[in-house]
Amino acid sequence: MGLRMKFNLAMGFTFLAGLLIAGLLSYRLTQREAVREVLQQASIMAGQAAVISDYTAREIAPLLAEQSREQFLPQSVPFWAAHTNFSALQKLFPDYSVRMPALNPTNPADRPTDWQAEIIALFRGNPALQEHISQRASPNGPILSISRPIRVEDRACLECHSTPQAAPAAMVDLYGPSNGFGWEMGETVGAQIISVPMQVALQRAAGTFRTVMLGLGAVFLLMTVLLNLLLHLAVVRRVRRISTAANEVSLGDMAAPELPVSGRDEIASLTESFNRMRRSFANAMRLLEP
Ligand code: HEC
């Protein structure tokens, strides 16, 4: 096996190992970054939902309290406000959603789908669980959901969610007496589920990963070309020249001129030694001649 082959094999092997390690690391990093980005978006949406609910409870509900006695105005219900806002947002960004499904909802539109019911069941089974992150597939790529339990922690909730008799009559007129009642203090009645599509973040992660890998490949290619060129000019070509000259001397051909010595590296000193050896050899031969 030639020197060049040995060098290229060693370099190829090192590069493959390096590429594998760098690939694994950058893949994991870019994926983690994508998830972090999506979680960040979800937490902004959670903040918005909380702010809308709070605003409705503090500023809208007192204004509508009087009118709600005659005709129930759901505009004063914090959950209704959040729900309405995010439904409108969903028209612009179909895969983003903030839902507040309940097992026994006041508004039938808040009935949970199968996967939402599973999340609610999980929270009901683990009262200490405060957050659950899950992923599901959709035709537009994976969707990440962050869910938090909705628990009845305030007696005020029971005014509208315990019995139809306790609830404002106008509300019962609007929503009917059969759903959204019977909730109890401390009960986990539903969950706030925020869903954010991962497709864009994943595509960006894949783009970054591809750029890193292409960059590494280009660096390796450049290194291979440069090293091969250097190996050829600085080692292989000069060693071959010495080897040809040595062959000629061994066959008794002393006519060839001395090898040119260029540079001050190991091969140059080998060339010098060879030239000196050939001179000594020629002298010795001359002494032996009759
Ligand atoms: C003034 C009455 C009223 C009060 C007080 C009230 N809610 Fe509601 N709640 C409603 C109505 C009406 C809806 C349905 C809104 C809609 O149409 O989206 C609702 C919806 C909900 C929903 C969405 C699921 C569903 O039932 O449709 C949850 C969860 C919820 N409320 C929890 C609570 C909690 C927790 C509290 C106490 C902090 C509370 N509510 C206080 C009237 C009330």
Side-chain angles (χ1 to χ4, degrees):
M1 200 192 292
L3 259 184
R4 201 176 318 174
M5 189 66 168
K6 277 184 194 158
F7 260 86
N8 280 323
L9 272 180
M11 252 173 46
F13 179 76
T14 317
F15 171 71
L16 276 184
L19 198 69
L20 201 74
I21 295 170
L24 274 175
L25 280 180
S26 81
Y27 182 78
R28 277 190 34 197
L29 260 169
T30 49
Q31 290 287 312
R32 203 187 306 162
E33 211 39 58
V35 172
R36 198 175 301 167
E37 185 187 320
V38 171
L39 287 177
Q40 166 82 0
Q41 289 178 357
S43 66
I44 292 176
M45 288 166 73
Q48 280 172 328
V51 167
I52 292 172
S53 298
D54 188 48
Y55 172 81
T56 311
R58 257 184 320 111
E59 312 223 359
I60 306 296
L63 290 181
L64 298 183
E66 200 60 44
Q67 281 156 279
S68 279
R69 244 170 279 205
E70 284 144 38
Q71 186 203 355
F72 187 74
L73 297 169
Q75 283 80 354
S76 61
V77 176
F79 279 83
W80 193 87
H83 169 83
T84 311
N85 270 282
F86 280 101
S87 297
L89 192 72
Q90 205 174 1
K91 291 203 181 81
L92 302 177
F93 303 100
D95 289 327
Y96 288 77
S97 70
V98 176
R99 304 269 295 112
M100 279 153 271
L103 285 186
N104 172 19
T106 318
N107 187 339
D110 294 328
R111 214 175 286 288
T113 58
D114 286 350
W115 65 270
Q116 292 171 344
E118 273 172 33
I119 292 176
I120 297 175
L122 187 74
F123 285 130
R124 285 172 76 90
N126 301 284
L129 192 62
Q130 288 303 330
E131 191 175 84
H132 175 69
I133 295 177
S134 54
Q135 242 188 63
R136 76 201 138 86
S138 87
N140 299 331
I143 293 186
L144 190 100
S145 294
I146 300 191
S147 314
R148 295 200 178 91
I150 297 177
R151 302 200 164 99
V152 182
E153 282 160 348
D154 190 340
R155 289 233 157 252
C157 312
L158 297 183
E159 183 197 329
C160 299
H161 291 294
S162 60
T163 60
Q165 291 73 34
M171 174 188 147
V172 182
D173 284 347
L174 191 62
Y175 288 92
S178 50
N179 42 292
F181 297 109
W183 296 9
E184 281 165 16
M185 252 334 253
E187 185 187 355
T188 303
V189 291
Q192 182 196 55
I193 303 180
I194 297 174
S195 300
V196 181
M198 299 190 72
Q199 190 71 348
V200 175
L202 285 179
Q203 270 169 358
R204 207 172 306 146
T208 311
F209 178 69
R210 216 178 304 126
T211 312
V212 170
M213 289 293 115
L214 279 176
L216 278 179
V219 167
F220 172 70
L221 214 69
L222 194 72
M223 255 172 56
T224 311
V225 170
L226 277 179
L227 269 176
N228 271 292
L229 205 68
L230 193 71
L231 201 63
H232 177 74
L233 292 179
V235 182
V236 175
R237 199 174 60 161
R238 291 156 80 198
V239 169
R240 257 198 218 131
R241 220 184 278 151
I242 300 172
S243 143
T244 314
N247 258 341
E248 284 165 0
V249 173
S250 74
L251 294 174
D253 180 3
M254 299 289 180
E258 289 214 338
L259 290 176
V261 179
S262 57
R264 299 177 58 186
D265 57 10
E266 289 82 351
I267 307 251
S269 95
L270 173 67
T271 314
E272 239 166 35
S273 310
F274 175 78
N275 282 340
R276 214 176 310 119
M277 192 182 74
R278 189 165 70 169
R279 256 178 268 131
S280 320
F281 186 59
N283 285 342
M285 291 292 277
R286 220 170 295 127
L287 285 180
L288 284 178
E289 271 170 18

